[in-house]
Amino acid sequence: MKPFMQFQHLFWASKVVRNSRNVVPVGLCLGQWRRICFHTALNQEAQHCSTPVLKHLTSKIRSTGPISVAEYMREVLTNPVSGYYVHNDMLGAEGDFITSPEISQIFGELLGIWCVSEWMAAGKPKEFQLVEFGPGRGSLISDVLRVFRQLKSVVGESALSVHLVEVSPKLSEVQSQSLTGEDSQAADNENDPVYRRGTTKTGHPVYWYRGIDDVPRGFSIYLAHEFFDALPVHKFQKTDKGWREMLIDIDPQVANKLRFVLAPSATLASSTLVQADEERDHVEVCPEGGVLVQRLTNRISEDGGAALIADYGHAGDKTDTFRGFHGHKLHDVLVAPGAADLTADVDFRYLRRMTEERVLSFGPITQQQFLRNMGIDVRLQVLLRSSTDSSTRKQLVQGFDMMMNPEKMGERFKFFALVPHSRIAVQPRGKKDEQKGAAAPPVSGFTELEL
């Protein structure tokens, strides 16, 4: 049995079921689901709702003219005064969406195994940074840390530290309470790159940052679950005169109502972001996502480590995916800005192009494939056998179905990984076998599981 498979079996045997009080109920109908719902949440009152963000945007547009979709998303989601992500707790049954870590502990556990696997494949470096972008309520990183605790015999005395990239002060407080209890402190200076720090319940130092540039360099495993989909996108439409950018303007017929318009001529974005070989008629490009992947590429190629990106997306074939969600239902993206989540499918082909082949990329593959390759079926059976509570067993089965069912999350969500080229280089076995060498273990999750 391969070494990295041995520790997977060690974890599968554990019978710890996460406290159900920390898990969002999964008995939701499909129509309530953020990523799959096809019903509108709008009513007559909402259509005429004025928000602080709308007032800010209409004033800006009157002063400077129509704005790009990317600028609109940035203002709506992360404006420091009234941005959706900055001041709202949007997760959970009472929020606007629920994510896989909130559904089942198994999701986070399997990602924890992936992190340990990549750490082992890198030679078990003594210093180990675990970095998560947009940690939500902290459920994912909490489950990952539980895996490290249960695999203490494998992880040994490695110096693990946790680094969370979070723009929302409100969510950082929620994460802090979940991960540290009362053992965290906010920075005295609001300009401090580490704006909060503490010690997790598992005894690891944890730090909060506003961006990746503030995270220390060093061997790191990066996790980004439902993070890239919220980064601003530019939208472009092919016309007889070439590519034109879609902009957002004020409807001249209705006061304070926004509308989409096409730029009358080429913009800087339409001239530089659309690929020359693009065959689609409508394209969404996320330059911030591309920059982030380039920075991850630099860090991984120079410092070692790996990145795992999980999001709903496509391989460069979709067109118009920009949409809003409020109360688990579809919401008009131009109505009541700041009151709903905005999102667009991740173009993984674009992200791969941004690596410029400086690292190896794997995927995208479906969530169903990835979790099955990671051993979700085995893990579910272990937890079911260890649980005597019927409601817990029901919750485990429902969570499994929601994550794996192709008609729910199984096919819509994709996994994509970045690793250094050295990751798959032939490793020497020792003096006796120097001539033969040994192939590095496969990247977990992206190859079929061997039991």
Side-chain angles (χ1 to χ4, degrees), residues 147-161:
V147 171
F148 277 78
R149 184 178 67 241
Q150 294 173 349
L151 292 176
K152 185 70 174 178
S153 62
V154 176
V155 178
E157 300 301 322
S158 61
L160 173 66
S161 57

Side-chain angles (χ1 to χ4, degrees), residues 36-309:
I36 320 167
C37 167
F38 297 98
H39 297 88
T40 179
L42 294 179
N43 52 43
Q44 288 300 111
E45 293 182 2
Q47 290 182 23
H48 301 286
C49 178
S50 179
T51 63
V53 177
L54 178 60
K55 293 177 181 178
H56 168 68
L57 289 171
T58 53
S59 175
K60 187 173 188 175
I61 292 171
R62 288 190 181 101
S63 299
T64 62
I67 61 175
S68 68
V69 173
E71 185 175 359
Y72 178 78
M73 288 185 71
R74 192 176 299 109
E75 290 283 359
V76 170
L77 298 179
T78 59
N79 182 289
V81 176
S82 52
Y84 175 79
Y85 286 148
V86 176
H87 297 286
N88 291 296
D89 179 2
M90 69 295 296
L91 293 165
E94 301 302 319
D96 293 324
F97 57 89
I98 304 173
T99 60
S100 291
E102 307 295 327
I103 298 171
S104 174
Q105 69 180 74
I106 303 177
F107 184 87
E109 290 173 348
L110 295 181
L111 266 61
I113 289 177
W114 190 89
C115 293
V116 175
S117 173
E118 288 308 303
W119 170 76
M120 292 180 65
K124 303 181 180 180
K126 181 68 175 178
E127 303 288 332
F128 179 9
Q129 295 188 158
L130 188 58
V131 183
E132 185 182 3
F133 296 91
R137 289 179 173 271
S139 300
L140 173 58
I141 204 71
S142 180
D143 288 337
V144 169
L145 290 175
R146 188 173 63 255
V147 171
F148 277 78
R149 184 178 67 241
Q150 294 173 349
L151 292 176
K152 185 70 174 178
S153 62
V154 176
V155 178
E157 300 301 322
S158 61
L160 173 66
S161 57
V162 180
H163 305 262
L164 306 178
V165 179
E166 176 60 72
V167 298
S168 169
K170 184 175 180 63
L171 277 179
S172 74
E173 295 175 3
V174 175
Q175 297 153 11
S176 174
Q177 183 63 35
S178 173
L179 293 170
T180 74
E182 302 297 330
D183 194 6
S184 76
Q185 307 82 36
D188 295 330
N189 185 347
E190 63 179 14
N191 295 319
D192 192 329
V194 182
Y195 69 85
R196 181 181 292 276
R197 67 181 69 211
T199 303
T200 69
K201 297 172 184 177
T202 54
H204 300 102
V206 56
Y207 309 91
W208 278 262
Y209 313 85
R210 296 177 183 84
I212 186 176
D213 291 339
D214 295 326
V215 178
R217 297 291 295 257
F219 179 89
S220 304
I221 302 294
Y222 301 91
L223 299 175
H225 178 256
E226 291 201 51
F227 178 80
F228 278 80
D229 68 278
L231 297 178
V233 298
H234 289 266
K235 291 174 70 69
F236 306 102
Q237 181 71 42
K238 184 182 289 185
T239 71
D240 294 338
K241 298 180 180 179
W243 287 99
R244 292 293 181 265
E245 183 167 10
M246 291 188 67
L247 305 175
I248 294 174
D249 195 4
I250 300 172
D251 191 328
Q253 305 299 321
V254 183
N256 294 324
K257 181 181 179 182
L258 301 176
R259 64 171 183 170
F260 287 107
V261 296
L262 276 181
S265 58
T267 62
L268 177 62
S270 66
S271 301
T272 58
L273 295 179
V274 182
Q275 296 296 311
D277 59 352
E278 182 58 65
E279 297 180 353
R280 290 170 289 176
D281 293 330
H282 189 100
V283 179
E284 295 167 337
V285 182
C286 180
E288 287 190 25
V291 169
L292 178 54
V293 163
Q294 288 177 331
R295 289 173 178 167
L296 288 174
T297 295
N298 291 338
R299 286 172 171 248
I300 291 170
S301 62
E302 295 173 9
D303 306 328
L308 185 63
I309 300 170

